[in-house]
């Protein structure tokens, strides 16, 4: 059930199983993915390609890209997605993102 705030939905709906970096989680079906991951204790969604510093959602409205995750090989903003059963979510691999072309 949608409410005025995505955070109010976290305790009011059925939970479904998914994984984040191989760890099984049970999150509220249909809730905002970034909010649900944060509420479950995930505190770093990705690392920066230059320094390796951890990043987690900041704006929650699709502007900052600090919530990037990889699902089925596609890097996406978690704050723009909903929780669905069976998602296999990974931190995006940014290794070599700034390497010189060969
Ligand atoms: S939290 Fe900023 S784009 Fe998702």
């Amino acid at each position: 059930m949608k409410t005025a705030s995505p955070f109010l939905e976290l305790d009011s709906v059925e939970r479904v199983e998914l994984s984040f970096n191989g760890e099984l989680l049970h999150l509220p079906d249909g809730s905002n993915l970034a909010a649900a991951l944060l509420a479950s204790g995930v505190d770093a969604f990705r690392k920066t390609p230059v320094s390796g510093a951890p990043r987690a959602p900041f704006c929650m409205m699709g502007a900052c890209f600090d919530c990037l995750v990889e699902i089925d090989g596609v890097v996406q903003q978690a704050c723009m997605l909903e929780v669905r059963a069976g998602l296999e979510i990974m931190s995006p691999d940014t290794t070599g993102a700034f390497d010189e072309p060969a």
Side-chain angles (χ1 to χ4, degrees), residues 12 31 33 36 40 50 69 95:
S12 63
S31 63
L33 180 59
S40 74
V50 175
V69 293
T95 305

Side-chain angles (χ1 to χ4, degrees), residues 34 56-68 77-80:
F58 180 70
C59 71
M60 297 299 285
M61 61 181 198
C64 74
F65 290 76
D66 276 341
C67 65
L68 291 178
Q77 296 157 291
C79 69
M80 298 287 104

Side-chain angles (χ1 to χ4, degrees), residues 14-91:
E14 176 186 352
R15 290 181 176 257
V16 294
E17 188 173 279
L18 52 77
S19 66
F20 181 80
N21 290 339
E23 179 184 352
L24 285 180
L25 299 172
H26 295 87
L27 303 181
D29 193 20
S31 63
N32 180 279
L33 180 59
L37 287 171
L38 286 171
S40 74
V42 174
D43 59 2
F45 285 34
R46 67 177 183 95
K47 294 182 178 176
T48 61
V50 175
S51 70
R55 287 290 182 267
F58 180 70
C59 71
M60 297 299 285
M61 61 181 198
C64 74
F65 290 76
D66 276 341
C67 65
L68 291 178
V69 293
E70 184 175 324
I71 301 172
D72 295 331
V74 180
V75 177
Q76 306 172 66
Q77 296 157 291
C79 69
M80 298 287 104
L81 300 172
E82 291 185 352
V83 170
R84 286 184 286 115
L87 289 177
E88 294 181 11
I89 307 162
M90 302 294 294
S91 294

